[in-house]
Each structure stands twice: as C-alpha cells, then as structure tokens.
Amino acid sequence: WNYFDFALIALQILEQCVVALVDGDGSNAIMGDIAVVRLVRILRVLRVVRVFRVVRFVAELKKVMYLVIASLPLFFWTMLFAMLLVYMLAIFFTQVVVDMAASVSNGDLSSHEGAEYLQELFG
C-alpha cells in the first residue's frame, strides 16, 4: 500500500503542476493537451480504493457496504417500474392529443382551448 499511496501523491503533484501550466479556459495554454488533465483527474478516483482498505477493519462499514450491495436488486426493479410508468403515461398523453386532433374537423385545432399550444408542440 505504500507504493499505491506514493503513486496517488505523485499523481496529485503532477495534476497541480499541469493545472498551473494551463489557463482556466485552456485557450492560451502552455500545454495545449487538456486530455492529460482529464486523465490525471480520472486517476484521482483511485483514491476511493483506499476506503476499501479501511472497510476491512471497521465492522460497521462492512455492514453498510453489505446493505448497500444487497439493496441493488431492489433498486433495479424500482427504477424499471418507474421507467415503465413514465412510458405508459407518455403513451396515454400522446393518445389524448391524437384523439383531440382527430375530433376536430379537417385538422383545424383553433376551435379548442390550448389547441395552439398543442399544434406548436405536436405539429
């Protein structure tokens, strides 16, 4: 882990040097390749791995991690149900607009309240 910590600190120092060389908008940069800055920032995410080292030693964190992982299937089904509900409501509202447009003779929506707005949205 000492090598890992050293690598993280070295990357942080490298990022600070690169940020010092690059302007805020990147237009007048000494170093024109912003991809390097992005890569260094992505590598900073590796710091999260250090947290997993602590989880081994703290029982409460183990429990929390287990509960979060155990709740993922329920979260998946909840999100699937929410997307299905949104899809069904989209079909319902689309059908309401189509029925209203069909009820007007010759496609002229000007006789109904809010028809101009619907004409603008749906054509």
Side-chain angles (χ1 to χ4, degrees), residues 43-101:
L43 291 176
R44 285 181 61 197
V45 174
L46 291 176
R47 289 182 181 183
V48 175
V49 176
R50 295 175 71 186
V51 173
F52 293 121
R53 184 175 74 178
V54 175
V55 170
R56 289 187 306 183
F57 303 116
V58 181
E60 290 81 13
L61 286 177
K62 279 185 183 178
K63 289 177 187 177
V64 170
M65 292 281 292
Y66 174 74
L67 292 174
V68 167
I69 291 170
S71 67
L72 287 178
L74 181 62
F75 177 72
F76 168 76
W77 289 112
T78 304
M79 293 308 300
L80 184 69
F81 177 72
M83 288 189 297
L84 181 65
L85 184 64
V86 168
Y87 180 70
M88 289 179 2
L89 286 172
I91 290 173
F92 172 74
F93 286 122
T94 302
Q95 190 62 42
V96 167
V97 169
V98 167
D99 290 344
M100 189 190 98

Side-chain angles (χ1 to χ4, degrees), residues 3-19 36-47:
Y3 294 117
F4 182 68
D5 289 337
F6 174 76
L8 287 177
I9 291 170
L11 287 174
Q12 180 65 35
I13 292 172
L14 177 67
E15 179 189 6
Q16 294 300 322
C17 293
V18 170
V19 169
V36 173
V37 176
R38 289 184 184 150
L39 176 66
V40 171
R41 287 184 180 168
I42 289 171
L43 291 176
R44 285 181 61 197
V45 174
L46 291 176
R47 289 182 181 183

